[in-house]
């Protein structure tokens, strides 16, 4: 009996290094009972992942997406799990998210040029790879940072973030973000569970989390990511308690991106299947 799952992974369709089918195969080799693909802002990797899972009867596949939503301070990521990726609400959400990137990226490239860092969209697209069609892949700041490094304008990706593309960096521009309520509705209208991802990254502190959580629950949030590669055991316990108190589905995963993020190996931390089984049942996986 397989006992562990990973419900948070990124593929080459966003900023991960493994193709969707390879993530599913790796999950099977690691002996996981279920794996979700939750690329940033795109649904385009899901068909490949599902096809790979069809040949692997021991691993259940959970279609997902991770969305950056609007929050006055800090960052708010909402994961949709068990979504029907053909549902109009989620297709439209993905379209708006792609549009927001298409609006921002060339403007950041222009800022870089003015700063004497001539890194073009074609350099950035080269980093983003060749998965699917061009309009399927999402292109973001991690790709920009790597392109800047490759051209020799930064020592490391982190250096490129600190100086240029990170919040506060000289070329940074925010992209239009979508309201948490709209994000949650789009996920739930697509038959998915809307999960608050990695609560520590909200940057509100564990003590101030509850008011934020309550507001999101009013807007339809119905899950919380209790397990994550960056959570301490104490944080995981707190989020499990909150899940219990507010009747939220429990979710969890590594936030796997491949070797670029060595601390987030697939299947780490171990997420018990029994804890996420209510969520999987609710979405029919
Ligand atoms: P984007 O969605 O294109 O704005 O890119 C956001 C992604 O960039 C995040 O999910 C992080 O993986 C990465 N990121 C953002 N800020 C930093 C930073 N200061 N240092 C390293 N990575 C960062
Ligand atoms: Zn990512
Ligand atoms: Fe995230
Ligand atoms: Fe993620």
């Amino acid at each position: 009996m397989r006992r562990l799952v990973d419900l948070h992974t990124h593929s080459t369709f966003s900023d991960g290094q493994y193709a969707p089918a390879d993530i599913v195969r790796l999950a099977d080799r690691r002996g996981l009972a279920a794996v979700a693909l939750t690329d940033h802002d795109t649904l385009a990797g899901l068909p490949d992942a599902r096809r790979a899972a069809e040949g692997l009867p021991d691993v259940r596949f959970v279609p997902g997406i991770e969305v950056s939503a609007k929050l006055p301070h800090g960052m708010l990521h909402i994961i949709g799990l068990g979504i029907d990726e053909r549902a109009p609400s989620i297709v439209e959400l993905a379209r708006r998210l792609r549009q927001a990137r298409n609006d921002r990226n060339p403007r950041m490239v222009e800022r870089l040029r003015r700063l004497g860092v001539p890194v073009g969209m074609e350099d950035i697209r080269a980093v983003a790879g060749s998965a699917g069609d061009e309009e399927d892949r999402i292109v973001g700041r991690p790709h920009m940072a790597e392109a800047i490094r490759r051209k020799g304008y930064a020592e490391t990706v982190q250096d490129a973030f600190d100086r240029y593309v990170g919040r506060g960096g000289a070329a940074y521009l925010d992209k239009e973000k979508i309201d948490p309520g709209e994000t949650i509705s789009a996920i739930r209208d697509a038959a998915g569970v809307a999960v608050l991802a990695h609560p520590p990254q909200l940057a509100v502190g564990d003590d101030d989390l509850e008011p934020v959580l309550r507001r999101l629950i009013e807007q339809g949030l119905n899950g919380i990511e209790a397990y994550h590669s960056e959570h301490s055991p104490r944080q995981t316990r707190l989020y499990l308690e909150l899940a219990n108190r507010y009747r939220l589905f429990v979710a969890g995963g590594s936030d796997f991106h491949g070797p670029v993020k060595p601390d987030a190996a697939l299947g780490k931390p171990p997420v018990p299947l029994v804890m996420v089984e209510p969520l999987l049942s609710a979405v029919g996986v």
Side-chain angles (χ1 to χ4, degrees):
M1 241 302 264
R2 295 184 172 205
R3 292 172 197 284
L4 301 174
V5 306
D6 191 328
L7 303 183
H8 190 160
T9 72
H10 298 277
S11 80
T12 45
F13 281 83
S14 61
D15 56 353
Q17 292 175 297
Y18 285 59
D22 291 334
I23 293 177
V24 172
R25 286 186 207 112
L26 187 58
D28 186 55
R29 282 208 300 281
R30 297 263 160 102
L32 297 181
V35 64
L37 180 65
T38 55
D39 271 316
H40 301 281
D41 299 356
T42 180
L43 302 161
L46 297 175
D48 287 357
R50 181 178 292 103
R51 259 193 302 280
E54 275 163 12
L56 301 168
D58 296 330
V59 61
R60 289 145 79 180
F61 174 64
V62 185
I65 187 170
E66 181 173 20
V67 177
S68 318
K70 204 180 294 176
L71 189 75
H73 310 287
M75 104 182 177
L76 170 59
H77 286 183
I78 295 171
I79 294 183
L81 288 175
I83 46 171
D84 170 2
E85 76 257 27
R86 292 155 312 182
S89 66
I90 202 83
V91 170
E92 172 60 13
L93 181 72
R95 192 198 61 73
R96 285 175 64 191
L97 292 164
R98 187 170 59 241
Q99 187 59 48
R101 285 177 183 281
N102 290 345
D103 291 344
R104 175 196 65 178
N105 290 346
R107 292 193 298 127
M108 282 186 69
V109 164
E110 174 56 18
R111 282 205 161 200
L112 284 167
R113 196 187 59 77
R114 289 195 196 165
L115 291 161
V117 182
V119 171
M121 275 312 299
E122 56 297 345
D123 304 313
I124 297 165
R125 280 198 206 97
V127 173
S130 58
D133 294 333
E134 190 174 303
E135 63 272 23
D136 288 341
R137 289 188 294 281
I138 71 110
V139 174
R141 290 182 289 144
H143 306 113
M144 293 182 198
E146 172 61 10
I148 293 167
R149 188 198 66 79
R150 282 190 196 172
K151 286 225 153 179
Y153 292 95
E155 295 282 326
T156 60
V157 164
Q158 192 55 55
D159 180 33
F161 264 101
D162 293 344
R163 282 170 36 207
Y164 297 115
V165 300
R167 200 176 267 271
Y172 176 77
L173 286 171
D174 212 353
K175 60 183 181 305
E176 195 209 325
K177 295 241 172 67
I178 297 176
D179 226 52
E182 283 180 65
T183 304
I184 292 165
S185 299
I187 290 166
R188 297 204 52 183
D189 288 349
V193 169
V195 173
L196 172 62
H198 40 63
Q201 290 184 29
L202 282 169
V204 291
D206 289 339
D207 292 339
D208 301 319
L209 175 61
E210 259 189 86
V212 177
L213 187 63
R214 270 201 292 270
R215 175 80 192 108
L216 291 169
I217 291 169
E218 282 165 18
Q219 293 174 298
L221 187 89
N222 58 346
I224 185 167
E225 190 172 49
Y227 305 84
H228 184 275
S229 49
E230 290 172 13
H231 293 179
S232 68
R234 193 189 60 77
Q235 285 173 322
T236 293
R237 275 197 303 278
L238 168 65
Y239 306 142
L240 289 173
E241 249 172 63
L242 289 171
N244 193 38
R245 187 171 325 148
Y246 291 102
R247 302 275 162 249
L248 297 169
F249 289 110
V250 171
S254 57
D255 211 348
F256 179 69
H257 284 71
V260 272
K261 284 198 181 171
D263 294 336
L266 194 71
K268 290 281 153 58
V271 179
L273 172 65
V274 286
M275 300 303 291
V276 305
E277 192 68 78
L279 188 159
L280 298 184
S281 306
V283 298
V285 170

